[in-house]
Amino acid sequence: YKKTTDRITNNGLGYLHNRIKEDYEYLVKIKANLNNQQIGQLQVQYLYALSFHLDQPMDASYLKAMTYYHKQAQQFWQKQGPQMQAMTALALFRSKDGSTSKAIINSLRERAIKNETLGMYWKNAQPAYYWQDAPVETQALLIEAFSEISQDEAAVSSLKQWLLTQKQTN
């Protein structure tokens, strides 16, 4: 099974690398201002997915695009929602950028609502139309980020408390 799993993983990573390279090459082709925010949810999700496979060799032809979006993630994380910020923090932390990832966690902590009964959560101003706005999925990613990056068990426990109250009410 390992050979099959490795083959599927490698094919998937190759596909992702090709798509992100195409995104970057398109920006260059249309002469987009590469200093402006060009990173969106798909590129953040790419960096997050890639963070699980940092031990995999990467063809040099993909490196320029990956590096560009990595720098974009470092620069424009404030313009993303909580779920994308959690993904960004995890991707950056796993690629050894501890300072930016910790800044993201600190920002999330400062903006969190803390309630003795409900735990720690973020108020969503709009209903969840896209999956990245869904509260339960967002909370799960935030639990992963707080657990892995800050290793703050009290915060993780409070985040889990909110998740459990959602299960009770829904």
Side-chain angles (χ1 to χ4, degrees):
Y1 291 112
K2 179 151 175 40
K3 279 178 96 174
T4 303
T5 305
D6 288 347
R7 185 177 47 78
I8 292 169
T9 300
N10 290 336
N11 288 343
L13 286 172
Y15 176 82
L16 291 174
H17 291 318
N18 280 323
R19 295 296 75 78
I20 209 73
K21 182 181 171 189
E22 285 175 7
D23 284 355
Y24 177 74
E25 288 173 347
Y26 176 75
L27 292 175
V28 171
K29 180 181 175 184
I30 65 167
K31 296 181 170 62
N33 185 342
L34 297 178
N35 294 320
N36 289 345
Q37 180 181 351
Q38 302 295 342
I39 190 168
Q41 294 162 355
L42 292 175
Q43 292 81 16
V44 170
Q45 291 165 9
Y46 162 77
L47 293 172
Y48 175 70
L50 187 62
S51 75
F52 290 98
H53 304 283
L54 294 174
D55 59 335
Q56 298 286 325
M58 182 188 297
D59 189 277
S61 66
Y62 305 129
L63 195 56
K64 190 171 188 176
M66 190 274 302
T67 302
Y68 172 74
Y69 286 114
H70 190 272
K71 288 179 182 173
Q72 284 269 303
Q74 290 172 317
Q75 187 175 359
F76 295 106
W77 62 265
Q78 300 95 334
K79 299 188 187 279
Q80 303 287 348
Q83 188 179 104
M84 292 298 113
Q85 287 182 355
M87 281 188 186
T88 299
L90 286 162
L92 295 176
F93 182 75
R94 292 171 182 164
S95 63
K96 308 295 184 230
D97 181 356
S99 61
T100 307
S101 58
K102 287 178 181 165
I104 295 170
I105 292 296
N106 289 336
S107 173
L108 286 164
R109 187 186 320 271
E110 289 171 5
R111 292 179 286 128
I113 297 170
K114 296 164 186 102
N115 181 293
E116 194 172 307
T117 307
L118 297 175
M120 187 164 125
Y121 63 99
W122 289 262
K123 190 164 184 104
N124 193 354
Q126 55 195 347
Y129 182 76
Y130 298 104
W131 74 270
Q132 63 269 13
D133 298 325
V136 171
E137 288 81 353
T138 298
Q139 194 77 358
L141 260 167
L142 288 160
I143 290 169
E144 180 185 359
F146 273 80
S147 177
E148 189 172 327
I149 297 167
S150 71
Q151 298 178 353
D152 180 351
E153 288 305 314
V156 171
S157 179
S158 188
L159 290 164
K160 288 178 181 178
Q161 181 180 347
W162 182 88
L163 206 54
L164 288 171
T165 61
Q166 296 307 296
K167 179 147 177 76
Q168 289 171 348
T169 59
N170 293 323

